Amino acid sequence: MKHYLKLVLISAKIHRKQSKMTRICITLAVLLVAVMFGLADMYLQGITQNQMEESGNWHYEFQSIDTQTASFISARPEIEVAGWHNTISSEAGYSIKEQPIAISAQNKSVFENIFLNGITEGEYPDTPNEIAISSLLKNTASVSLNGTVELYKPDGSAADYLVVGFLDDTETSRLISDDMSIAVMTPEGLGMLAVPNVNESYVVQFSRLCIGTRKLLVLSRKPAGSFRDNIGVSVFAYEKTVKING
């Protein structure tokens, strides 16, 4: 009987060593998994940041939708920022002081929060007759802050705008892919030009609670229009479907 009791003591010592080793292995496994998830998270954040620097912080861009459908989209609780983004290429024939310009029209929240642009001097246009232009034109075209410029149309006619700000030229590529100088105005200001073939889109940024929604919007209104997603910014994806009209 005494020999059996000695075996109990020996077994306890052996199992104590095994239990210690098991705890060490579990701890190392948890640390390894944590490191792997951390690296994966850093990789995804890097992709997102790179995409935001290239094209802006938007998730979906809708083409050929009407104002009522746009209102339904912006009213969704998942939407953080949404608005129209209308562009005209420098090849369309618009110019300021004989220098070709591209035009980008959107409200201030879309300009700052979605396309991550800024004003280096002055302020963002607030009324239809105000405009902000590339800082390059400040020197090459002798344009001054709070001065009036004539924006010439392809047919030779001109519209007067008040220059209220100068843009950070290093960020304007997110607004429009164009190597020329750019003029920024409100959508109402662009309406004053009566442009026949403007590139019109409606951009959407979701709140942080639903970033990366892939199956997000089912447009039940006809025609539905087309859309594209900003995959890099939408990299943290989960499945969700929202029907716009109820």
Side-chain angles (χ1 to χ4, degrees), residues 204-232:
V204 172
Q205 178 193 113
F206 303 117
S207 71
R208 293 182 179 273
L209 298 178
C210 64
I211 283 181
T213 303
R214 300 299 301 275
K215 291 180 179 177
L216 184 74
L217 299 169
V218 176
L219 298 178
S220 60
R221 179 171 299 277
K222 301 298 183 180
S226 60
F227 67 90
R228 65 189 180 103
D229 63 348
N230 199 1
I231 297 297

Side-chain angles (χ1 to χ4, degrees), residues 157-204:
S157 62
D160 292 335
Y161 287 90
L162 178 66
V163 179
V164 296
F166 291 105
L167 305 172
D168 184 345
D169 293 344
T170 62
E171 300 174 343
T172 55
S173 61
R174 302 188 194 110
L175 293 169
I176 182 171
S177 299
D178 205 301
D179 296 331
M180 297 296 179
S181 298
I182 183 173
V184 167
M185 60 184 68
T186 64
E188 295 78 14
L190 183 61
M192 292 175 53
L193 295 176
V195 181
N197 296 316
V198 62
N199 181 19
E200 188 177 70
S201 62
Y202 193 79
V203 288
V204 172

Side-chain angles (χ1 to χ4, degrees), residues 72-81 205-210 240 242:
F72 279 121
I73 294 174
S74 63
R76 296 296 309 179
E78 298 90 352
I79 305 301
E80 184 73 20
V81 182
Q205 178 193 113
F206 303 117
S207 71
R208 293 182 179 273
L209 298 178
C210 64
K240 182 178 179 65
V242 176

